[in-house]
Amino acid sequence: MNKYLLYSLVFLLFCCTKTVVAQDTLSLENAISTALKNNYDIRLVNNEIQIARNNLNAGNAGMLPGLAGTFSNGGSRQNTVQTPATGPEKKSSGVRSTNLSYGAALDWTIFDGFQMFANYDRLKELQKQGEVNGKLTILNTVSDVVAAYYALVRQQQLVLATDSALKISRLRVTIADNKLKIGRGSRLDVLSAKVDYNTDTTLYLQQKNILNTSRITLNQLMARDLNIVFAVNERLNIENDLKLADLELSMERLNPTLQNALINKKIAALSLKQVKGQRYPTVAVNSGYEFSRSTSPTGFNQKFRANGLTYGLTASLNIFNGFLQRQNERNAKVQLNSTELSLDKTKQDVSALLNATYQNYITNLDLLKVETGNVDLAKQNLDITFEKYRLGSISPLELREAQRNSINAIIRFLDAQYQAKLTEINLKEISGTLNVQ
């Protein structure tokens, strides 16, 4: 019976992941979908994307005419004294004058050195940049969710492992008590077993606390009630066949940071085009309709009314502005060069990060193989040691040492498994291939 407890409680967790019946189970897919819907960073960046889409229109680029309506109505009440060249002086009191006008004016810049077209293309790139930033935020969020999810899986398994170790320590206390009662044990063995049991209880409670805080972290990433209690039943299935060459090809096409740097270069080139466009003349047409009416009893015309169309063509050319045009063009060229350098630097930085992460990935896979073997060895050692202790052929100190080696092997195995999974996630995030569905 004791041997059955040992097998079932300590090592069964490595064959399958336990499911907590009293709690809701959360799958990784549901965690990701919930985060994509609720996460505040994603919702904020979606608003920024919407603004960039709203800004992309011909009117914002300066291609469309402007039409303005005007209306004015006023008057005055005055006392006047008129002294004509011939005739007597004329005085008037409370003379009321009025004026009314309304109309519509149209202004349309039809040529500005192609600046409006460069501006429209710039708005397109800004929209793309917003979408790329949105993709980057989504990738980061999904990566954080996946990492937090598997951290919870790891922590849940650690709680099971420490709980199993606690049960073994409790069983050891029982055995020590029974031996003392039949005269085959000592009081010292009982006290030692109880001290180790209390130590394992402390470790178990600490792991439970970390499990609860890990659950809160995942709830926070999903932007839902932090107090929701749930369990995870996913195993850490690690892809061990990722190829560096394939990841590099995907990185060049899909990495949001690289895409952002490329867009910045295009925007700088369009800004230079806009600055150069200021060398050309600006041509605009204008037209309008106006109606006006006024009364002035003491004026030459006591009543006046007019209405009709207006139209015109204007052109302007910047001939000299204190060499500012040349200065602005030089600065725009320098800015373009800076974006080119930034693009090259970004390529190198992202490539270096990918290569370093891939090296960690390979190393972690090797460590995982070693630790998997260590778990099996520690399992066998603890089985044999526990049976010898039960029969009384070894000391409690040897059992404790075998128990400590076993739990340490389990912890190292779970750590190696988790680190291998983290590097896999990081590789997919850098290469832009992380599944966000």
Side-chain angles (χ1 to χ4, degrees), residues 280-304:
Y280 295 89
T282 299
V283 181
V285 295
N286 57 80
S287 180
Y289 172 83
E290 184 177 6
F291 173 86
S292 63
R293 183 183 66 194
S294 64
T295 61
S296 178
T298 60
F300 181 77
N301 294 319
Q302 292 186 349
K303 292 184 178 181
F304 177 82

mmCIF file of all heavy atoms in Angstrom, residues 280-304:
data_model
loop_
_atom_site.group_PDB
_atom_site.id
_atom_site.type_symbol
_atom_site.label_atom_id
_atom_site.label_comp_id
_atom_site.label_asym_id
_atom_site.label_seq_id
_atom_site.Cartn_x
_atom_site.Cartn_y
_atom_site.Cartn_z
ATOM 1 N N TYR A 280 8.485 74.481 -56.172
ATOM 2 C CA TYR A 280 7.569 74.706 -57.286
ATOM 3 C C TYR A 280 6.540 75.767 -56.914
ATOM 4 O O TYR A 280 6.277 76.032 -55.730
ATOM 5 C CB TYR A 280 6.870 73.401 -57.664
ATOM 6 C CG TYR A 280 7.799 72.338 -58.201
ATOM 7 C CD1 TYR A 280 8.420 71.437 -57.344
ATOM 8 C CD2 TYR A 280 8.035 72.247 -59.564
ATOM 9 C CE1 TYR A 280 9.264 70.455 -57.829
ATOM 10 C CE2 TYR A 280 8.879 71.266 -60.059
ATOM 11 C CZ TYR A 280 9.492 70.375 -59.196
ATOM 12 O OH TYR A 280 10.335 69.409 -59.691
ATOM 13 N N PRO A 281 5.912 76.357 -57.913
ATOM 14 C CA PRO A 281 4.855 77.343 -57.614
ATOM 15 C C PRO A 281 3.603 76.659 -57.082
ATOM 16 O O PRO A 281 3.369 75.473 -57.308
ATOM 17 C CB PRO A 281 4.589 77.996 -58.971
ATOM 18 C CG PRO A 281 5.009 76.976 -59.982
ATOM 19 C CD PRO A 281 6.180 76.257 -59.367
ATOM 20 N N THR A 282 2.825 77.430 -56.367
ATOM 21 C CA THR A 282 1.535 76.981 -55.862
ATOM 22 C C THR A 282 0.439 77.695 -56.638
ATOM 23 O O THR A 282 0.437 78.922 -56.732
ATOM 24 C CB THR A 282 1.400 77.290 -54.368
ATOM 25 O OG1 THR A 282 2.424 76.601 -53.651
ATOM 26 C CG2 THR A 282 0.038 76.844 -53.843
ATOM 27 N N VAL A 283 -0.459 76.923 -57.214
ATOM 28 C CA VAL A 283 -1.536 77.480 -58.046
ATOM 29 C C VAL A 283 -2.859 77.109 -57.400
ATOM 30 O O VAL A 283 -3.081 75.956 -57.028
ATOM 31 C CB VAL A 283 -1.469 76.937 -59.487
ATOM 32 C CG1 VAL A 283 -2.590 77.538 -60.335
ATOM 33 C CG2 VAL A 283 -0.110 77.235 -60.113
ATOM 34 N N ALA A 284 -3.722 78.110 -57.273
ATOM 35 C CA ALA A 284 -5.022 77.880 -56.655
ATOM 36 C C ALA A 284 -6.093 78.624 -57.434
ATOM 37 O O ALA A 284 -5.833 79.667 -58.051
ATOM 38 C CB ALA A 284 -5.018 78.349 -55.199
ATOM 39 N N VAL A 285 -7.278 78.090 -57.432
ATOM 40 C CA VAL A 285 -8.438 78.763 -58.020
ATOM 41 C C VAL A 285 -9.412 79.082 -56.899
ATOM 42 O O VAL A 285 -9.457 78.406 -55.869
ATOM 43 C CB VAL A 285 -9.120 77.876 -59.083
ATOM 44 C CG1 VAL A 285 -8.201 77.631 -60.261
ATOM 45 C CG2 VAL A 285 -9.557 76.541 -58.476
ATOM 46 N N ASN A 286 -10.166 80.152 -57.109
ATOM 47 C CA ASN A 286 -11.155 80.526 -56.106
ATOM 48 C C ASN A 286 -12.410 81.010 -56.816
ATOM 49 O O ASN A 286 -12.368 81.541 -57.929
ATOM 50 C CB ASN A 286 -10.612 81.606 -55.168
ATOM 51 C CG ASN A 286 -10.148 82.850 -55.917
ATOM 52 O OD1 ASN A 286 -10.960 83.695 -56.295
ATOM 53 N ND2 ASN A 286 -8.835 82.961 -56.150
ATOM 54 N N SER A 287 -13.510 80.832 -56.168
ATOM 55 C CA SER A 287 -14.790 81.254 -56.710
ATOM 56 C C SER A 287 -15.754 81.440 -55.553
ATOM 57 O O SER A 287 -15.503 80.968 -54.435
ATOM 58 C CB SER A 287 -15.325 80.209 -57.698
ATOM 59 O OG SER A 287 -16.571 80.622 -58.232
ATOM 60 N N GLY A 288 -16.824 82.161 -55.826
ATOM 61 C CA GLY A 288 -17.775 82.369 -54.756
ATOM 62 C C GLY A 288 -19.019 83.105 -55.231
ATOM 63 O O GLY A 288 -19.111 83.586 -56.365
ATOM 64 N N TYR A 289 -19.962 83.179 -54.361
ATOM 65 C CA TYR A 289 -21.188 83.942 -54.588
ATOM 66 C C TYR A 289 -21.408 84.821 -53.367
ATOM 67 O O TYR A 289 -21.232 84.384 -52.219
ATOM 68 C CB TYR A 289 -22.385 83.014 -54.782
ATOM 69 C CG TYR A 289 -23.705 83.753 -54.836
ATOM 70 C CD1 TYR A 289 -24.138 84.337 -56.023
ATOM 71 C CD2 TYR A 289 -24.492 83.885 -53.693
ATOM 72 C CE1 TYR A 289 -25.338 85.036 -56.074
ATOM 73 C CE2 TYR A 289 -25.702 84.578 -53.731
ATOM 74 C CZ TYR A 289 -26.111 85.144 -54.930
ATOM 75 O OH TYR A 289 -27.284 85.839 -54.975
ATOM 76 N N GLU A 290 -21.845 86.105 -53.619
ATOM 77 C CA GLU A 290 -22.042 87.037 -52.506
ATOM 78 C C GLU A 290 -23.267 87.893 -52.761
ATOM 79 O O GLU A 290 -23.525 88.334 -53.894
ATOM 80 C CB GLU A 290 -20.812 87.935 -52.315
ATOM 81 C CG GLU A 290 -20.929 88.859 -51.119
ATOM 82 C CD GLU A 290 -19.677 89.691 -50.896
ATOM 83 O OE1 GLU A 290 -18.754 89.615 -51.753
ATOM 84 O OE2 GLU A 290 -19.630 90.422 -49.891
ATOM 85 N N PHE A 291 -24.005 88.104 -51.713
ATOM 86 C CA PHE A 291 -25.152 89.029 -51.738
ATOM 87 C C PHE A 291 -24.946 90.026 -50.617
ATOM 88 O O PHE A 291 -24.599 89.670 -49.494
ATOM 89 C CB PHE A 291 -26.462 88.277 -51.522
ATOM 90 C CG PHE A 291 -27.652 89.186 -51.364
ATOM 91 C CD1 PHE A 291 -28.335 89.655 -52.483
ATOM 92 C CD2 PHE A 291 -28.066 89.608 -50.099
ATOM 93 C CE1 PHE A 291 -29.420 90.511 -52.329
ATOM 94 C CE2 PHE A 291 -29.153 90.451 -49.950
ATOM 95 C CZ PHE A 291 -29.830 90.903 -51.060
ATOM 96 N N SER A 292 -25.168 91.339 -50.954
ATOM 97 C CA SER A 292 -25.017 92.385 -49.938
ATOM 98 C C SER A 292 -26.117 93.425 -50.114
ATOM 99 O O SER A 292 -26.572 93.712 -51.227
ATOM 100 C CB SER A 292 -23.634 93.055 -50.045
ATOM 101 O OG SER A 292 -23.476 93.705 -51.295
ATOM 102 N N ARG A 293 -26.534 93.972 -48.980
ATOM 103 C CA ARG A 293 -27.565 95.017 -48.975
ATOM 104 C C ARG A 293 -27.284 95.963 -47.823
ATOM 105 O O ARG A 293 -26.958 95.521 -46.717
ATOM 106 C CB ARG A 293 -28.940 94.389 -48.807
ATOM 107 C CG ARG A 293 -30.097 95.393 -48.856
ATOM 108 C CD ARG A 293 -31.422 94.706 -48.620
ATOM 109 N NE ARG A 293 -31.483 94.176 -47.241
ATOM 110 C CZ ARG A 293 -32.392 93.301 -46.853
ATOM 111 N NH1 ARG A 293 -33.282 92.814 -47.721
ATOM 112 N NH2 ARG A 293 -32.410 92.863 -45.605
ATOM 113 N N SER A 294 -27.419 97.304 -48.099
ATOM 114 C CA SER A 294 -27.167 98.295 -47.054
ATOM 115 C C SER A 294 -28.089 99.494 -47.232
ATOM 116 O O SER A 294 -28.561 99.775 -48.339
ATOM 117 C CB SER A 294 -25.696 98.750 -47.092
ATOM 118 O OG SER A 294 -25.404 99.405 -48.313
ATOM 119 N N THR A 295 -28.367 100.169 -46.128
ATOM 120 C CA THR A 295 -29.163 101.413 -46.141
ATOM 121 C C THR A 295 -28.428 102.468 -45.343
ATOM 122 O O THR A 295 -27.830 102.175 -44.294
ATOM 123 C CB THR A 295 -30.549 101.178 -45.513
ATOM 124 O OG1 THR A 295 -30.397 100.765 -44.144
ATOM 125 C CG2 THR A 295 -31.325 100.101 -46.265
ATOM 126 N N SER A 296 -28.452 103.691 -45.852
ATOM 127 C CA SER A 296 -27.814 104.823 -45.175
ATOM 128 C C SER A 296 -28.565 106.082 -45.551
ATOM 129 O O SER A 296 -28.289 106.696 -46.609
ATOM 130 C CB SER A 296 -26.336 104.923 -45.576
ATOM 131 O OG SER A 296 -25.719 106.030 -44.958
ATOM 132 N N PRO A 297 -29.552 106.512 -44.759
ATOM 133 C CA PRO A 297 -30.395 107.656 -45.118
ATOM 134 C C PRO A 297 -29.634 108.951 -45.363
ATOM 135 O O PRO A 297 -30.068 109.806 -46.120
ATOM 136 C CB PRO A 297 -31.337 107.779 -43.912
ATOM 137 C CG PRO A 297 -31.363 106.410 -43.314
ATOM 138 C CD PRO A 297 -29.997 105.875 -43.525
ATOM 139 N N THR A 298 -28.461 109.073 -44.725
ATOM 140 C CA THR A 298 -27.706 110.322 -44.887
ATOM 141 C C THR A 298 -26.599 110.196 -45.914
ATOM 142 O O THR A 298 -25.817 111.121 -46.118
ATOM 143 C CB THR A 298 -27.095 110.732 -43.537
ATOM 144 O OG1 THR A 298 -26.224 109.692 -43.083
ATOM 145 C CG2 THR A 298 -28.180 110.975 -42.495
ATOM 146 N N GLY A 299 -26.477 109.048 -46.567
ATOM 147 C CA GLY A 299 -25.409 108.853 -47.533
ATOM 148 C C GLY A 299 -25.797 109.301 -48.918
ATOM 149 O O GLY A 299 -26.931 109.721 -49.187
ATOM 150 N N PHE A 300 -24.806 109.159 -49.833
ATOM 151 C CA PHE A 300 -25.060 109.541 -51.219
ATOM 152 C C PHE A 300 -26.076 108.594 -51.825
ATOM 153 O O PHE A 300 -26.988 109.012 -52.532
ATOM 154 C CB PHE A 300 -23.730 109.488 -51.992
ATOM 155 C CG PHE A 300 -23.893 109.897 -53.434
ATOM 156 C CD1 PHE A 300 -24.017 111.238 -53.779
ATOM 157 C CD2 PHE A 300 -23.938 108.938 -54.439
ATOM 158 C CE1 PHE A 300 -24.189 111.601 -55.114
ATOM 159 C CE2 PHE A 300 -24.106 109.312 -55.766
ATOM 160 C CZ PHE A 300 -24.222 110.656 -56.107
ATOM 161 N N ASN A 301 -25.894 107.266 -51.524
ATOM 162 C CA ASN A 301 -26.901 106.285 -51.910
ATOM 163 C C ASN A 301 -27.634 105.852 -50.651
ATOM 164 O O ASN A 301 -27.037 105.238 -49.763
ATOM 165 C CB ASN A 301 -26.261 105.063 -52.582
ATOM 166 C CG ASN A 301 -25.624 105.406 -53.923
ATOM 167 O OD1 ASN A 301 -26.201 106.166 -54.693
ATOM 168 N ND2 ASN A 301 -24.437 104.867 -54.175
ATOM 169 N N GLN A 302 -28.885 106.131 -50.590
ATOM 170 C CA GLN A 302 -29.623 105.796 -49.396
ATOM 171 C C GLN A 302 -29.846 104.283 -49.286
ATOM 172 O O GLN A 302 -29.936 103.749 -48.181
ATOM 173 C CB GLN A 302 -30.973 106.522 -49.381
ATOM 174 C CG GLN A 302 -30.821 108.035 -49.225
ATOM 175 C CD GLN A 302 -32.159 108.716 -49.077
ATOM 176 O OE1 GLN A 302 -33.204 108.085 -49.291
ATOM 177 N NE2 GLN A 302 -32.151 110.001 -48.724
ATOM 178 N N LYS A 303 -29.919 103.578 -50.381
ATOM 179 C CA LYS A 303 -30.053 102.130 -50.385
ATOM 180 C C LYS A 303 -29.098 101.551 -51.424
ATOM 181 O O LYS A 303 -28.907 102.145 -52.485
ATOM 182 C CB LYS A 303 -31.475 101.699 -50.701
ATOM 183 C CG LYS A 303 -32.489 102.049 -49.618
ATOM 184 C CD LYS A 303 -33.868 101.507 -49.971
ATOM 185 C CE LYS A 303 -34.875 101.823 -48.874
ATOM 186 N NZ LYS A 303 -36.225 101.278 -49.195
ATOM 187 N N PHE A 304 -28.518 100.391 -51.053
ATOM 188 C CA PHE A 304 -27.584 99.736 -51.985
ATOM 189 C C PHE A 304 -27.778 98.227 -51.888
ATOM 190 O O PHE A 304 -27.918 97.671 -50.797
ATOM 191 C CB PHE A 304 -26.139 100.097 -51.638
ATOM 192 C CG PHE A 304 -25.128 99.391 -52.512
ATOM 193 C CD1 PHE A 304 -24.815 99.869 -53.775
ATOM 194 C CD2 PHE A 304 -24.498 98.233 -52.069
ATOM 195 C CE1 PHE A 304 -23.898 99.209 -54.573
ATOM 196 C CE2 PHE A 304 -23.593 97.571 -52.858
ATOM 197 C CZ PHE A 304 -23.275 98.070 -54.122
#
